[in-house]
Amino acid sequence: MASSAVSSPTSSIKQRRYRFATEVVTVDNPDDPHNAASVPIYQSATFKQVGAGGGGDYDYSRSGNPTRTQLENHLAKIMNAKRAYAVSSGMSALDVISRLVQSGDEIIAGDDLYGGTNRLLSYLAKTQNIKTHHVDTTKAESVLPYLDPVKTKLVLLETPTNPLIKICDISAIAKHVHEKCPEALVVVDNTMMSPYLQCTLDLGADIEYHSGTKYLAGHHDLMAGVIGTRSEAIADRIYYVINATGCGLGPFDSWLLLRGVKTLAVRMDRQQSNAIQVVDFLEQCGFKVNYPGSRKHPQYELHKRMSSGPGAVLSFETGDIGLSERIVEAAKLWSISVSFGCVNSLISMPCRMSHASIPAHVRAERAFPEDLIRLCVGIEDVEDLLDDLKQAIRSAGAMPEHLDV
Ligand SMILES: *Cc1c(COP(=O)(O)O)cnc(C)c1O
């Protein structure tokens, strides 16, 4: 395959034959000459050609690499996509998607986005004259006033958002967008749910992307981004940008991601059941908890309709910044860390850490509580997680007496 090719070496994508947890551990590798049980790492920049005119499936790893192709075929299968691409990080995935938009075009996006996403959108506004309208996507109609059949090229959604856990109705928004702006693409960052819990392409998205660094990898040992679509035409445009800019995932990280993703279902099942118990405890303590699996969540029914589970990221408010700081600092098993999706449990204060890059006045406008604590629940024994939370809350002075046994 020549480096100037417009499509990737991705071969035929297998349709799902089994349930998710089975498909995710079943990696087809039919072309391996030695029948290797694990896809090998093709740690090679170049591939020898059969003749002066080329002729091999691969020629240069920026354009295509067999380890990456196997990973991409596997990801396409589990995302219910026609084609998927693996790139160097989640931000790199959004960078690739954003290159489908030109100067003077417009983007509509949520108002509670991942911090890095905000940073890239501000950069596009400043340097490329690409304006983003931020709207409250919890109300599908809020996109309507900004939909312009000429200018709108991208509608960028996250659901649930992180860390405020707001939910948007992907199907309803996609319907509005596709009716009014046939050329605009609905793009969903599905990192918080993973392909196991939510298939946004089934719900009407044109492109779904992930930070593969989170649940897909699952062990905080690599950075990756994943982009999936059902449209061959969109896939060709995405592949063109990846090859042109050179952000395809390297062979070793492709191998690590393919290895990590096999346990996605079993990790997520455990993380989610731990999270449900943690939420139950925090609600008993009287804290205001944000979690899509909590019946008190205003969009509980909507999330339930779109997904097969609430996931393992939650946040809660203590009512006092100092108290939140003391709880976070007293936790021992929960490590203070940004990110989520790892097998280990993490605790953080988004305003001080992952979301500190959003200016304080913007956080205030978006009703982003400064005392918010985010928990990303791992696969540890839930009794240990609860014990550690209890001692942290007790030592911070916030344990209700009736629970303090
Ligand atoms: C982490 C994250 C990203 C960015 O991904 P990186 O792999 O860190 O570049 C994008 N969106 C969401 C929702 C994330 O959590």
Side-chain angles (χ1 to χ4, degrees):
M1 197 211 65
S3 329
S4 56
V6 291
S7 68
S8 78
T10 302
S11 54
S12 58
I13 303 296
K14 295 279 181 305
Q15 286 300 305
R16 283 196 203 173
R17 290 159 294 177
Y18 303 106
R19 290 171 184 81
F20 189 97
T22 308
E23 287 291 2
V24 79
V25 289
T26 308
V27 178
D28 292 315
N29 190 17
D31 303 330
D32 189 277
H34 308 292
N35 294 319
S38 158
V39 170
I41 308 171
Y42 283 89
Q43 193 67 42
S44 183
T46 58
F47 297 84
K48 291 179 190 166
Q49 301 303 294
V50 286
D57 281 345
Y58 298 93
D59 66 353
Y60 194 54
S61 277
R62 170 158 47 72
S63 311
N65 176 283
T67 313
R68 187 161 80 227
T69 299
Q70 291 290 355
L71 168 69
E72 290 174 339
N73 289 347
H74 189 62
L75 291 168
K77 181 181 75 173
I78 66 167
M79 291 168 79
N80 260 344
K82 208 156 209 162
R83 288 212 242 148
Y85 296 99
V87 294
S88 56
S89 69
M91 289 323 303
S92 177
L94 182 60
D95 179 43
V96 166
I97 295 163
S98 74
R99 286 169 196 254
L100 306 177
V101 182
Q102 291 177 0
S103 176
D105 290 344
E106 293 183 356
I107 298 173
I108 302 174
D111 60 2
D112 181 32
L113 298 168
Y114 176 70
T117 300
N118 266 318
R119 188 187 304 136
L120 182 54
L121 293 175
S122 314
Y123 180 80
L124 292 175
K126 241 183 277 164
T127 63
Q128 316 280 317
N129 184 32
I130 296 170
K131 186 177 168 61
T132 296
H133 300 282
H134 292 278
V135 303
D136 176 2
T137 47
T138 61
K139 298 178 193 74
E141 325 77 72
S142 59
V143 300
L144 290 173
Y146 300 99
L147 285 173
D148 179 323
V150 178
K151 287 186 175 167
T152 309
K153 291 291 154 61
L154 226 60
V155 176
L156 182 58
L157 306 173
E158 285 180 37
T159 181
T161 62
N162 155 35
L164 296 180
I165 320 291
K166 292 187 189 171
I167 312 294
C168 75
D169 188 335
I170 298 172
S171 310
I173 294 177
K175 193 161 172 279
H176 287 318
V177 175
H178 292 143
E179 266 170 24
K180 283 190 86 174
C181 302
E183 275 184 46
L185 300 175
V186 175
V187 178
V188 185
D189 177 341
N190 198 28
T191 306
M192 282 277 279
M193 284 286 98
S194 88
Y196 179 42
L197 296 182
Q198 184 167 264
C199 177
T200 71
L201 298 175
D202 280 351
L203 295 167
D206 299 295
I207 298 175
E208 170 177 313
Y209 76 100
H210 290 265
S211 166
T213 315
K214 315 290 167 57
Y215 287 113
L216 294 173
H219 299 76
H220 281 175
D221 51 8
L222 70 100
M223 305 281 309
V226 174
I227 309 169
T229 178
R230 286 195 187 150
S231 150
E232 293 284 349
I234 296 170
D236 286 346
R237 290 167 73 196
I238 288 168
Y239 173 72
Y240 186 89
V241 176
I242 293 171
N243 187 36
T245 59
C247 60
L249 194 63
F252 185 65
D253 285 339
S254 293
W255 179 84
L256 264 183
L257 183 54
L258 188 54
R259 175 189 158 116
V261 80
K262 289 179 190 172
T263 53
L264 173 63
V266 72
R267 278 186 278 111
M268 187 60 107
D269 282 343
R270 168 75 166 222
Q271 286 175 268
Q272 186 168 264
S273 83
N274 283 356
I276 290 166
Q277 292 176 73
V278 166
V279 166
D280 196 40
F281 165 69
L282 292 171
E283 286 185 338
Q284 280 177 45
C285 287
F287 296 123
K288 180 179 180 292
V289 181
N290 306 302
Y291 184 58
S294 164
R295 290 197 171 268
K296 292 182 188 150
H297 193 289
Q299 293 153 303
Y300 172 84
E301 291 297 337
L302 172 60
H303 180 78
K304 204 171 162 200
R305 201 163 69 229
M306 292 194 297
S307 70
S308 59
V313 177
L314 60 113
S315 61
F316 67 102
E317 294 164 41
T318 66
D320 178 335
I321 302 179
L323 175 59
S324 293
E325 276 173 350
R326 292 199 301 280
I327 293 175
V328 168
E329 282 169 7
K332 296 188 179 103
L333 181 57
W334 299 77
S335 45
I336 304 179
S337 172
V338 295
S339 197
F340 61 85
C342 182
V343 287
N344 301 103
S345 291
L346 312 174
I347 190 167
S348 65
M349 282 184 75
C351 286
R352 298 287 159 92
M353 299 166 66
S354 51
H355 292 64
S357 64
I358 304 173
H361 73 274
V362 178
R363 291 202 304 259
E365 275 167 28
R366 294 181 192 166
F368 197 121
E370 300 279 324
D371 62 326
L372 197 73
I373 296 178
R374 186 181 73 175
L375 297 179
C376 306
V377 187
I379 65 168
E380 299 92 340
D381 189 308
V382 72
E383 294 303 331
D384 290 326
L385 292 175
L386 289 171
D387 284 348
D388 192 47
L389 265 186
K390 282 177 198 168
Q391 70 76 22
I393 292 170
R394 187 180 298 118
S395 77
M399 189 66 138
E401 252 171 54
H402 71 282
L403 293 176
D404 202 4
V405 281

